[in-house]
Amino acid sequence: MRDFIQALPKTETHLHIEGALPYELLVRRDPQRWRPDPDFRARSYRYVTFPDFERILLEHALPWFTNAESYHEAAKVIFAQHVAQNIRYVETSFHLPVTMFIGVPGPEIIAAIRAAVPAGLEVRIFTGMLRTDLGGELRRTIDQLHTWDGLAGVDLHGFEKQETHPDTAAVWARLRAAGKVTKCHAGEFDGAARVREAIEVLGVDRIQHGVRAIEDPAVVRIAAERSVTFDVCPLSNVGLQVVPALAAHPLRQLLAAGVRCTVSTDDPLCFANTLTDEYAALAREGGFTAAELAQLARNGWAVAAVAPEYRAEQLALIDRLAAAGR
């Protein structure tokens, strides 16, 4: 199964670059401060609350991401790890408020990440913001996002139970009209109603997580009928106690109901996971077959922003591997 997973040409479509900081970079920089095996990176670790998770993430990410060069240095290692896993397409986001924290314009961060992309890897760069940021100091920046070259799209992330700013739907529609992809975190720490809001009010067809849509069959039907994609992160869902265990994850139910789902890692800094780990855990703990894993890989290519010919090549390779049972 490991050989099959490695051979699959994979995509990663839900990755926060600050949350993907390779932990070994911290240890190498300051081994006195950062011990090599902190408790939170054990597979058995469970975050008590989202604020607990967010605190640990920020305590480790903020000391590193202080300028554009730090994004470039981290991205070089992150993308090299992708290539080693036969991941060929990545959508990653940076946290928009960081541009204020460190005083670096977003386009410079985009350029720094872009410069780290190796040959053979397609990367699309997004920016993410909190649900409340439209009502704060970032509004002027948000209103200029449609002009940023190299920005593939935007995402709402952070604590899901925050109220969504009432201007979000109009801003998201304007960004889509400018050719940007709009995403939204929903159905993780809040229920199916947030997934419905993301689809029906915000107009998105890319939901980050989405797994709690399973609590309302009507919302699942809406997602399936409108060809909405859920970019799911199974090990993150377990670590954050969204689900009690991988065997109880609703991923297979969502797929059976016709919802297109992909698999990603979310925040490897906090979960010590790779995409290979995600696929392997689904096979080992979730009972996923090679055919089911192949379908998850196909789903990633279905939404990847690549040339049709390249997509067809990757899908053909997946079909050959699945047929061979490798």
Side-chain angles (χ1 to χ4, degrees):
M1 183 61 80
R2 276 273 174 176
D3 290 344
F4 175 77
I5 292 168
Q6 176 64 26
L8 283 174
K10 295 174 289 295
T11 69
E12 171 130 54
T13 51
H14 182 168
L15 181 71
H16 303 275
I17 198 159
E18 294 90 358
L21 173 66
Y23 187 75
E24 62 268 24
L25 292 182
L26 289 175
V27 176
R28 191 182 309 158
R29 173 179 286 184
D30 190 349
Q32 299 302 313
R33 180 176 182 183
W34 311 108
R35 61 187 181 90
D37 56 349
D39 293 344
F40 73 89
R41 282 176 57 82
R43 187 54 51 80
S44 60
Y45 188 84
R46 298 293 180 265
Y47 292 92
V48 178
T49 63
F50 182 82
D52 173 50
F53 158 78
E54 194 170 47
R55 174 183 58 80
I56 290 176
L57 190 156
L58 294 176
E59 283 177 354
H60 292 79
L62 289 182
W64 179 272
F65 292 103
T66 57
N67 51 41
E69 178 57 33
S70 64
Y71 275 90
H72 177 77
E73 188 175 349
K76 281 180 65 176
V77 178
I78 293 166
F79 295 152
Q81 292 172 350
H82 281 124
V83 171
Q85 296 173 76
N86 199 23
I87 298 167
R88 303 182 183 184
Y89 176 86
V90 174
E91 292 178 0
T92 188
S93 66
F94 68 94
H95 189 44
L96 187 63
V98 168
T99 60
M100 293 179 57
F101 301 158
I102 65 177
V104 178
E108 290 187 22
I109 294 176
I110 293 170
I113 297 170
R114 172 63 53 197
V117 178
L121 183 66
E122 295 276 348
V123 174
R124 304 292 177 261
I125 302 169
F126 289 67
T127 193
M129 66 202 74
L130 305 179
R131 292 173 183 272
T132 54
D133 281 339
L134 271 164
E137 295 179 71
L138 274 173
R139 180 58 185 263
R140 183 176 299 178
T141 300
I142 293 168
D143 285 341
Q144 295 301 312
L145 292 178
H146 66 284
T147 69
W148 286 11
D149 291 336
L151 183 71
V154 295
D155 178 26
L156 282 186
H157 60 209
F159 191 47
E160 189 182 345
K161 292 189 177 182
Q162 290 179 320
E163 290 296 318
T164 304
H165 192 279
D167 289 352
T168 306
V171 172
W172 255 224
R174 186 169 71 246
L175 285 164
R176 282 194 297 274
K180 308 300 185 185
V181 176
T182 55
K183 298 184 179 183
C184 181
H185 278 59
E188 182 188 21
F189 285 96
D190 212 344
R194 270 303 168 94
V195 178
R196 181 188 289 271
E197 175 196 50
I199 298 170
E200 295 189 335
V201 179
L202 302 185
V204 307
D205 58 14
R206 296 290 298 282
I207 303 290
Q208 307 296 272
H209 297 296
V211 295
R212 289 187 59 186
I214 202 68
E215 297 168 7
D216 186 342
V219 174
V220 174
R221 284 195 299 273
I222 291 168
E225 290 168 359
R226 300 195 185 188
S227 299
V228 173
T229 298
F230 290 0
D231 293 313
V232 179
C233 304
L235 292 178
S236 166
N237 295 157
V238 174
L240 287 166
Q241 302 192 73
V242 176
V243 298
L246 209 55
H249 200 286
L251 177 57
R252 183 179 276 119
Q253 293 170 264
L254 291 167
L255 291 166
V259 179
R260 181 192 293 127
C261 296
T262 68
V263 172
S264 295
T265 58
D266 200 5
D267 295 285
L269 170 63
C270 293
F271 304 112
N273 56 334
T274 66
L275 192 61
T276 297
D277 292 336
E278 298 282 348
Y279 275 76
L282 286 172
R284 183 179 61 253
E285 301 170 42
F288 275 62
T289 65
E292 289 176 311
L293 296 181
Q295 186 57 53
L296 289 168
R298 289 188 193 96
N299 290 347
W301 288 107
V303 296
V306 295
E309 299 81 7
Y310 187 63
R311 177 184 294 108
E313 289 174 9
Q314 308 312 308
L315 293 174
L317 175 54
I318 293 169
D319 289 345
R320 290 196 298 273
L321 290 167
R326 292 185 53 197

